Amino acid sequence: WRPVRRSVLALAAGAVAALGAGGACAQDGPIKIGLTTDLTGIAASYARAQVDAVQMAIDELNEAGGIKGRQLELLVRDSKLKPELGSSLTRDLIVREKIDYLIGPDASSVGVAVTGVAKQYKKVVVMTIPNTPRLVGELWHPYFFTIVPSGTMLARAMAEGIGRDNEKIAFIGGDYEASHQAIKYFGDWLGKVNPNARIIAEQWPKLGEPDFTPYITQLMSAEPEIVFSYLWGADLISFIKQAKPYGFFEKTKFATLLFLDDLVALGDEMPDGIIGQMYAPPFGTKSEKMDAFIAAFEKKYGHYPSDWAVMGYDGMKILAEGIKNAKSWDSDDVSAAIAALNYDGLQGPLVFREVDHQGNVPSFLGKTGKVEGLPFKALVDIQRIEAETVMPTPEEILQQRAGG
């Protein structure tokens, strides 16, 4: 019985060490970066862009000698838009694969799962796509960082962008958590931007809805000045294609969350003049650094990078800079180093707030139209919405964590 007891004790000690190591890694062999993301399902193209950009950043770091003499290695797992799978895969990356730090994932629901595992094992995680406000609210922990404009920030930016000049606003969004959050935060901020504005109609199609005809006709019957859309991907593409024969876009203004993937997919079928809100479009920032990134990405992968690529690349470079500046490999030291960064990123200078480790990243509003040099319609008359104008205050964040 003694050998068995010793084995059990050894396993227990190993588990405690894994939980308490705080990301400390052996100082030989590669620095292992774990990325759990959704390579299967409706968001697969977003995840692929994320993985490609993170790998590109790692390749550049390795070609420059790595970090403190060590190369970096990326380990990718497919969570398939399933939070429980994301949780188990991330745990396996930590316990079995012995990864040192985390980046990603894609869907906010998987992000919630991943950040829970990161907290449990004291692993630094840099989020580059998920943006549910819960991540900086009640789920926050000191190993978490985000360079994505939160759902609250985007909703407030949209209210700023369309609320001042419109009083009758209709809404359409998929019937899931993020859409319901969006209309709540939009409505709250709208009251401050324009007390006379109101939401006169709401439509909630299911995700993957094949027939938008009844939603289109009901929106038109409400006679809004503008429609705020939280449709995206295949749903947005289907809505636009089905709404065009009704003359929808000639009869009302339309403002929507917009991804580069949607612009590419629609091509010339994208109507001109749609108000689009984007996270981090490469064409939204004019700088030598962004131009160099676009050229390098196109050379490596053969196509124009998306928002997800911009954030994936910056996220990996931020994580690497934190590792480089840290006093040790330990997660507590790396977390402290990232928190202290003044990072010069693709979209300009970036710092993290102490209260929630939210990066002060911008978002962008513009109108769809032709842009010279791009093979798809993009945004023109672009307005950059700085984070500081729409971020929840530290007091709001603390109130949310307290359940207020």
Side-chain angles (χ1 to χ4, degrees):
W1 63 273
R2 285 182 179 176
V4 172
R5 182 171 181 272
R6 286 173 182 163
S7 297
V8 171
L9 288 173
L11 284 170
V16 170
L19 282 168
C25 50
Q27 294 183 25
D28 54 359
I31 301 169
K32 293 185 177 182
I33 309 297
L35 172 53
T36 302
T37 194
D38 304 303
L39 291 164
T40 301
I42 60 173
S45 64
Y46 313 158
R48 173 46 56 193
Q50 175 190 49
V51 171
D52 286 348
V54 170
Q55 186 62 62
M56 184 171 118
I58 286 177
D59 289 346
E60 290 177 2
L61 290 161
N62 285 339
E63 288 169 9
I67 299 176
K68 300 176 183 177
R70 298 176 62 193
Q71 296 283 286
L72 293 90
E73 178 185 353
L74 181 64
L75 284 75
V76 180
R77 298 292 183 270
D78 182 7
S79 43
K80 302 180 181 180
L81 287 170
K82 298 177 181 178
E84 65 281 0
L85 181 58
S87 179
S88 63
L89 289 173
T90 303
R91 185 171 285 105
D92 183 71
L93 282 170
I94 294 169
V95 174
R96 188 173 64 84
E97 297 288 357
K98 308 297 183 186
I99 62 95
D100 303 302
Y101 313 102
L102 294 163
I103 193 168
D106 184 349
S108 283
S109 58
V110 178
V112 167
V114 169
T115 200
V117 177
K119 179 181 179 181
Q120 179 186 2
Y121 288 93
K122 298 182 179 180
K123 293 291 183 181
V124 169
V125 57
V126 178
M127 296 273 176
T128 68
I129 298 182
N131 72 337
T132 171
R134 296 180 62 205
L135 291 167
V136 295
E138 72 268 22
L139 300 177
W140 184 81
H141 56 87
Y143 307 104
F144 166 90
F145 295 86
T146 178
I147 59 166
V148 191
S150 72
T152 307
M153 293 164 65
L154 290 173
R156 289 179 174 183
M158 182 65 87
E160 290 278 354
I162 70 174
R164 297 187 187 278
D165 299 326
N166 299 284
E167 295 186 359
K168 296 170 62 179
I169 302 172
F171 175 82
I172 182 169
D175 192 6
Y176 72 116
E177 181 182 2
S179 284
H180 288 277
Q181 286 178 341
I183 192 61
K184 176 188 182 302
Y185 295 123
F186 174 86
D188 290 346
W189 204 250
L190 183 65
K192 299 179 181 180
V193 171
N194 184 355
N196 295 322
R198 66 192 191 280
I199 298 167
I200 61 171
E202 297 179 20
Q203 296 294 321
W204 298 96
K206 69 178 184 292
L207 291 174
E209 173 61 56
D211 183 10
F212 283 96
T213 302
Y215 304 102
I216 293 166
T217 55
Q218 289 180 60
L219 287 171
M220 295 178 71
S221 296
E223 298 184 345
E225 296 172 67
I226 192 166
V227 174
F228 168 30
S229 157
Y230 208 80
L231 301 172
W232 55 275
D235 286 345
L236 176 63
I237 293 167
S238 295
F239 179 90
I240 289 175
K241 287 182 176 180
Q242 293 175 36
K244 286 178 72 174
Y246 288 88
F248 182 90
F249 302 106
E250 290 74 38
K251 295 173 182 175
T252 183
K253 290 173 285 186
F254 187 70
T256 185
L257 186 67
L258 196 57
F259 302 151
L260 189 126
D261 310 70
D262 309 330
L263 293 168
V264 172
L266 280 164
D268 289 337
E269 289 189 80
M270 171 63 79
D272 290 339
I274 284 179
I275 298 171
Q277 180 180 52
M278 300 187 71
Y279 288 60
F283 52 76
T285 300
K286 304 300 182 184
S287 69
E288 290 183 5
K289 182 167 287 191
M290 182 65 83
D291 289 345
F293 166 76
I294 293 170
F297 191 94
E298 288 182 325
K299 181 179 179 181
K300 190 175 183 71
Y301 297 113
H303 61 87
Y304 191 84
S306 66
D307 308 56
W308 323 118
V310 169
M311 294 184 290
Y313 181 88
D314 266 348
M316 187 59 237
K317 287 300 184 81
I318 285 168
L319 177 55
E321 198 163 321
I323 299 168
K324 178 182 176 182
N325 292 349
K327 294 185 294 184
S328 75
W329 304 105
D330 186 82
S331 281
D332 288 303
D333 288 334
V334 173
S335 174
I338 295 175
L341 284 179
N342 285 284
Y343 175 72
D344 184 17
L346 295 177
Q347 300 183 93
L350 185 151
V351 296
F352 293 98
R353 289 201 307 185
E354 181 180 0
V355 69
D356 54 6
H357 289 174
Q358 169 71 61
N360 63 333
V361 289
S363 58
F364 299 82
L365 287 172
K367 293 183 178 179
T368 53
K370 283 283 189 181
V371 174
E372 185 178 354
L374 293 179
F376 48 84
K377 291 185 180 179
L379 296 186
V380 298
D381 301 327
I382 295 175
Q383 179 185 3
R384 177 180 168 122
I385 310 296
E386 299 296 348
E388 289 78 7
T389 65
V390 291
M391 292 170 88
T393 65
E395 290 75 21
E396 288 178 294
I397 294 294
L398 294 174
Q399 185 178 13
Q400 181 187 355
R401 290 180 194 164

